[in-house]
Amino acid sequence: MKEVRDQYEQFPYPERDPTDEKKRLITGSPSHPGEIDTYIFGGMRDWSQPIKILIAGGGTGDSLIMIASMLATKKVPAEIHYIDLSQAACKIAEQRAEIRGLQNIIFHSDDILNASSYGVFDYIDCCGVLHHLKEPQAGFKALAGTLKPEGGLGGMVYAPFGRTGVYPLQAALRILVGDLPTRKKLSQAKKIVEGLPKTNWFPKNDCLGDHKLGDAGFYDLLLHSQDRAFTVTQLNTYLQQAGLALCGLIEPILYDPLEYLPDEAEIRARVKQMPPIEQAQLAENLSGAIKTHVFYACKSASKESAFFHFNPPPTNMQLVPRLKNIAPAKLAHHLAKKGRLSIGLSGRSYDRVLDKKLAPMIALIDGRPLGNIASTLGLDPISFQNQWCQVHHPLSEFNVLYYSRKF
Ligand SMILES: C[S@@+](CC[C@H](N)C(=O)[O-])C[C@H]1O[C@@H](n2cnc3c(N)ncnc32)[C@H](O)[C@@H]1O
């Protein structure tokens, strides 16, 4: 633990200049409030009610600032606790919050294993931390133990195959430079990495880029003292042993094995009869490019049926669908012209064909409930569900569609 703390005292992660808060807000997954609503609260959270959130191992504050700012903007009564071992990281996160005038955060320099000292939470964000614990299972359990029964966790852990080349190189660097003082270690390691032969898997792996993002990124990727990766099956086991159920993987399409297989009925049938977690593992094995698992997990096992995304699509007509990072009119226009959607993820393009006739429905994803979309289009419930299904599946697989009455 001392080595991990020392690293993040010297190299608070990720490298951030607090004054950049005046120019931009970093958003992403997990922990976008609309995603939290969709995956943990079934899209029906009442945001006028208070929410208590834990940011576990918050680093320099990306998730923290995203959630705290978005909730403050929409005047959601929120109490957000940030915990991190590194005081240097905490200071940067505090400065970012101060520049934004955020009043809804309480900062703690502490170990996430002590999370229960701060109460019970509706939602916990834990990104890029659990794979750095000596005993990850203790971390999963500590966090699960501080969740309210209806609460949930959004997290990120490393995945092995997309990080091909990292671990043999870490082992080599440990032998060659592991005992040098930090600065010397870093400069020597950079020389070694620059001179690697073309045959080494690290330079061959074009999924990897953190080492190019400054010293903190380089150190984090290649000189970490405690770092492991989990397959999606292993992640699922850790979660289950902590009493949590995996209820979402982002982006869902990455975990669809059919994306990586020939379009043949026999193969399709074989895949379709596999349980969801086995399908996800198959996809991870076939893709080779999944370097992290971004996931949602909830305490209530009954929500496991929401695995991947709502499946089947939701029937509650009060749900409010929303699009992430794209205006409905723009997406509708694109679809009416092309009849397909493409998205670039992890070095590959993913495609979905969508009937051009669905464009008017997509144009109505503007903050109104499903019931209103149906009546505006003059559709009876059955015809609406048939059409909504065709919108819901591709857009939520791309993580472009979510459900929230507020965000
Ligand atoms: C890779 S950084 C991730 C930071 C942030 N969550 C993000 O995704 O940008 C890992 C962070 O976890 C913190 N950390 C590691 N082990 C911890 C522990 N046991 N308790 C609290 N914080 C810890 C480190 O200090 C560091 O700031």
Side-chain angles (χ1 to χ4, degrees):
M1 149 117 89
K2 183 181 173 315
E3 268 185 274
V4 173
R5 177 189 284 134
D6 288 351
Q7 174 188 332
Y8 290 112
E9 288 298 357
Q10 274 190 290
F11 300 105
Y13 189 90
E15 268 182 68
R16 292 286 177 249
D17 175 354
T19 60
D20 285 344
E21 294 314 311
K22 293 178 187 155
K23 302 186 273 205
R24 53 94 187 97
L25 176 68
I26 296 176
T27 58
S29 300
S31 299
H32 178 289
E35 272 178 25
I36 297 174
D37 203 343
T38 304
Y39 285 96
I40 309 293
F41 301 110
M44 287 299 284
R45 186 168 201 281
D46 176 358
W47 292 93
S48 68
Q49 294 305 306
I51 185 163
K52 185 162 164 173
I53 295 176
L54 171 66
I55 311 290
T60 52
D62 283 2
S63 297
L64 172 80
I65 299 298
M66 170 178 68
I67 302 188
S69 304
M70 291 176 85
L71 297 187
T73 304
K74 300 242 172 166
K75 301 197 179 348
V76 174
E79 180 181 311
I80 305 173
H81 290 253
Y82 160 107
I83 299 180
D84 202 288
L85 281 180
S86 158
Q87 295 192 358
C90 182
K91 204 166 152 200
I92 294 170
E94 277 183 296
Q95 287 167 350
R96 294 174 73 180
E98 198 181 322
I99 288 175
R100 288 186 171 273
L102 297 169
Q103 308 284 330
N104 48 6
I105 309 169
I106 303 164
F107 290 91
H108 311 278
S109 286
D110 204 345
D111 191 318
I112 62 166
L113 297 180
N114 299 328
S116 63
S117 319
Y118 306 104
V120 284
F121 297 91
D122 298 285
Y123 178 69
I124 299 176
D125 168 280
C126 188
C127 254
V129 184
L130 291 159
H131 47 235
H132 293 317
L133 300 190
K134 192 157 180 240
E135 290 174 38
Q137 189 66 69
F140 281 97
K141 280 197 174 142
L143 297 182
T146 62
L147 271 178
K148 290 185 188 168
E150 67 283 5
L153 167 80
M156 182 277 275
V157 294
Y158 293 151
F161 310 137
R163 284 170 71 82
T164 295
V166 168
Y167 294 102
L169 186 53
Q170 280 188 1
L173 292 175
R174 207 166 288 134
I175 292 167
L176 292 166
V177 303
D179 57 347
L180 299 179
T182 307
R183 285 286 152 200
K184 178 96 179 167
K185 187 190 314 193
L186 200 54
S187 63
Q188 290 292 82
K190 283 184 181 174
K191 263 190 240 161
I192 293 166
V193 171
E194 267 163 37
L196 284 172
K198 279 200 296 200
T199 49
N200 184 290
W201 285 108
F202 184 78
K204 278 189 192 189
N205 185 348
D206 56 16
C207 301
L208 301 166
D210 284 7
H211 56 301
K212 297 177 191 150
L213 301 176
D215 290 350
F218 187 97
Y219 208 103
D220 209 61
L221 185 64
L222 293 172
L223 295 169
H224 212 291
S225 60
Q226 205 157 262
D227 166 342
R228 70 186 81 185
F230 310 133
T231 63
V232 72
T233 309
Q234 288 166 336
L235 168 64
N236 191 43
T237 304
Y238 276 114
L239 288 168
Q240 282 180 342
Q241 286 179 358
L244 295 171
L246 188 57
C247 58
L249 287 161
I250 305 289
E251 282 74 17
I253 199 164
L254 295 175
Y255 294 88
D256 178 354
L258 295 174
E259 277 299 316
Y260 313 107
L261 290 166
D263 188 11
E264 279 180 22
E266 204 180 320
I267 293 176
R268 191 170 277 275
R270 188 176 279 247
V271 169
K272 287 281 181 199
Q273 48 84 30
M274 293 167 70
I277 188 63
E278 288 180 23
Q279 291 195 35
Q281 185 60 60
L282 185 58
E284 183 181 9
N285 294 348
L286 291 168
S287 152
I290 295 180
K291 63 174 180 169
T292 61
H293 299 298
V294 174
F295 64 93
Y296 287 95
C298 45
K299 223 166 170 181
S300 141
S302 63
K303 289 194 191 160
E304 202 168 8
S305 57
F307 187 64
F308 282 140
H309 49 120
F310 288 103
N311 199 7
T315 49
N316 180 347
M317 298 303 268
Q318 288 171 16
L319 280 163
V320 177
R322 296 183 192 270
L323 296 178
K324 201 192 239 176
N325 300 334
I326 184 155
K330 194 168 170 197
L331 186 59
H333 179 74
H334 171 90
L335 181 63
K337 231 166 94 185
K338 307 259 184 205
R340 62 187 318 121
L341 287 176
S342 306
I343 193 167
L345 289 169
S346 308
R348 187 171 177 275
S349 178
Y350 293 80
D351 273 304
R352 280 287 183 264
V353 174
L354 256 97
D355 191 333
K356 291 181 181 181
K357 288 193 208 108
L358 297 168
M361 187 172 259
I362 289 176
L364 293 177
I365 307 178
D366 58 2
R368 63 182 88 203
L370 291 176
N372 187 298
I373 297 179
S375 59
T376 305
L377 295 171
L379 293 170
D380 63 75
I382 292 175
S383 316
F384 174 76
Q385 277 304 327
N386 283 340
Q387 291 189 28
W388 183 250
C389 208
Q390 298 170 54
V391 171
H392 165 90
H393 276 300
L395 295 188
S396 47
E397 273 190 312
F398 282 166
N399 196 29
V400 169
L401 180 80
Y402 61 89
Y403 295 87
S404 175
R405 292 185 290 176
K406 185 107 178 165
F407 288 95

